[in-house]
Amino acid sequence: MAERPTKNLHAGAPFRADEDRYDRIPYRRCGRTGLKLPAVSLGLWQNFGDESALATQRAILRTAFDQGITHIDLANNYGPPPGSAEKNFGRILAEDFRPYRDELIISTKAGYDMWPGPYGEWGSRKYLLASLDQSLERMGLDYVDIFYSHRFDPDTPLEETMGALDTAVRSGRALYAGISSYSPERTAEAVQIMRELGTPLAIHQPSYSMFNRWIEGGLLDTTGEHGLGVIAFSPLAQGLLTAKYLDGVPDDSRAARGGSFSPDLITDDVVRRLRALNEIAQRRGQTLAQLALSWALRDERVTSVLIGARTVDQLLDSLGSLERLDFTAEELTEIDGYAVETGLNLWARSSDA
């Protein structure tokens, strides 16, 4: 992997972005919009709450922007505690990135449990627009670039949820509207509603990885037909598709900590598949994580992959995936023998609705 220079890591020094940042990463058009996204985007789902050192968060964000990552993805409930990722990002944005606001794509979402009572989750107009206002306040922003419905709400008319996204854009609180974890059928319905409202959907954010391939069963066809971009979240299967789990579950891993990623998912068969995929990666001169990201980007309908990072080194390793985006037919066939569903789609209930 070619060395990617890093600087701007000292928290006390003023941040000045690297002048060569846009020469280091490819950008892909987001569906049929005028928006381009970096092939690798940075998500703040993990590692940007109050449990993580602000200096580390700052170093990761500075390095990401210096490497050409212009898209930062958040949600109202990212933390812990919920809201803290937006608050911490807002502080770093104000101190480091305010001069570069027009070079950034900042997204947020609403859909999951955020505050007590009947208006604190799902897809009502009341919840979505109140949540967006709270997100803007936490981040110190006048608008976000993309605002998502984080999950389909089976108990709220889709017209109401989409109408809230339309209002978010028309009011200037968001530039683009998106959806996340919607099924192909619900995606097509949402597209039609938004088209009639005059605010086309721009992007869909589904989970997608070598061990979670549900979007190949129709969603990619739907997004392609209707001109939506696709940004894949959890392309490393919450860190499973890294060298960390080649010998089981280490004590410092996300699986060992519990939460959304159960160690019960890492069976002997999964470890066998990981080791086989790791051998393929080594033959290609890649790490397992780099192989997984390159593979997720092999389909031109995937605009970007959304990575997390606990350290600057993890971020740079992920960016190394962009140096080998080519695959032979033989490599893809071999990968298909090991890249199978392993029960990791934790968001299936939403996308099955």
Side-chain angles (χ1 to χ4, degrees):
M1 182 181 74
E3 183 177 355
R4 288 178 174 265
T6 59
K7 62 180 186 64
N8 284 313
L9 299 187
H10 189 268
F15 176 72
R16 285 184 289 187
D18 195 302
E19 293 181 357
D20 298 327
R21 59 192 178 277
Y22 294 118
D23 299 329
R24 297 183 178 141
I25 194 169
Y27 298 84
R28 295 182 172 188
R29 187 167 298 280
C30 185
R32 289 200 286 264
T33 73
L35 182 65
K36 291 184 178 180
L37 296 180
V40 172
S41 300
L42 180 63
L44 308 192
W45 176 25
Q46 307 281 341
N47 308 309
F48 284 82
D50 288 347
E51 293 182 345
S52 303
L54 194 68
T56 301
Q57 298 179 34
R58 188 188 306 275
I60 292 170
L61 285 163
R62 286 182 172 191
T63 302
F65 190 60
D66 274 345
Q67 299 298 324
I69 295 180
T70 54
H71 181 207
I72 308 299
D73 180 82
L74 299 107
N76 57 355
N77 63 337
Y78 288 175
S84 59
E86 289 183 329
K87 182 180 68 176
N88 291 333
F89 173 72
R91 175 178 172 180
I92 296 170
L93 173 69
E95 295 173 354
D96 289 354
F97 296 104
R98 186 63 65 184
Y100 305 101
R101 174 62 184 99
D102 290 338
E103 298 181 41
L104 290 169
I105 301 297
I106 300 170
S107 61
T108 196
K109 317 175 200 72
Y112 286 94
D113 188 21
M114 187 59 189
W115 63 80
Y119 320 120
E121 64 175 327
W122 291 106
S124 71
R125 181 180 183 85
K126 167 73 172 177
Y127 168 61
L128 291 176
L129 294 177
S131 178
L132 176 55
D133 287 341
Q134 292 179 22
S135 292
L136 292 174
E137 183 175 359
R138 279 190 290 269
M139 291 188 283
L141 292 172
D142 297 322
Y143 70 94
V144 292
D145 297 275
I146 305 171
F147 181 53
Y148 291 91
S149 166
H150 207 166
R151 60 172 169 171
F152 173 72
D153 181 353
D155 295 322
T156 296
L158 192 55
E159 289 82 1
E160 178 176 341
T161 301
M162 294 301 104
L165 295 184
D166 175 66
T167 296
V169 172
R170 290 184 182 277
S171 66
R173 286 175 277 183
L175 301 185
Y176 298 91
I179 55 177
S180 179
S181 298
Y182 278 50
S183 69
E185 295 76 17
R186 298 302 185 187
T187 297
E189 292 176 25
V191 165
Q192 182 60 33
I193 293 168
M194 292 295 280
R195 184 175 293 137
E196 292 173 357
L197 290 170
T199 302
L201 280 177
I203 190 166
H204 192 301
Q205 186 176 134
S207 60
Y208 182 51
S209 73
M210 286 179 164
F211 287 166
N212 175 18
R213 301 179 62 167
W214 75 276
I215 70 173
E216 296 171 12
L219 182 62
L220 280 175
D221 291 336
T222 300
T223 57
E225 176 186 352
H226 294 291
L228 275 68
V230 173
I231 179 167
F233 77 87
S234 202
L236 298 181
Q238 298 197 64
L240 179 57
L241 287 163
T242 68
K244 180 177 290 186
Y245 295 97
L246 293 175
D247 296 311
V249 183
D251 293 338
D252 64 343
S253 65
R254 189 185 304 182
R257 296 194 299 269
S260 62
F261 188 12
S262 170
D264 295 337
L265 295 170
I266 306 175
T267 63
D268 290 342
D269 181 62
V270 167
V271 172
R272 178 184 67 83
R273 294 178 185 278
L274 286 173
R275 290 173 177 171
L277 290 168
N278 187 57
E279 291 179 5
I280 297 172
Q282 289 179 337
R283 293 202 302 267
R284 286 170 49 87
Q286 292 183 301
T287 65
L288 177 56
Q290 290 168 354
L291 173 70
L293 296 174
S294 298
W295 178 89
L297 286 165
R298 76 197 186 286
D299 191 312
E300 63 182 12
R301 293 171 295 183
V302 176
T303 311
S304 181
V305 291
L306 193 58
I307 64 165
R310 185 165 52 86
T311 66
V312 168
D313 287 343
Q314 282 185 354
L315 172 69
L316 294 175
D317 181 77
S318 293
L319 286 172
S321 63
L322 300 176
E323 296 168 18
R324 281 299 310 273
L325 294 176
D326 58 306
F327 286 90
T328 66
E330 292 75 18
E331 285 176 327
L332 291 174
T333 298
E334 186 179 8
I335 288 169
D336 280 342
Y338 303 106
V340 299
E341 295 292 333
T342 57
L344 284 172
N345 187 0
L346 307 178
W347 307 270
R349 179 177 297 181
S350 179
S351 56
D352 287 344

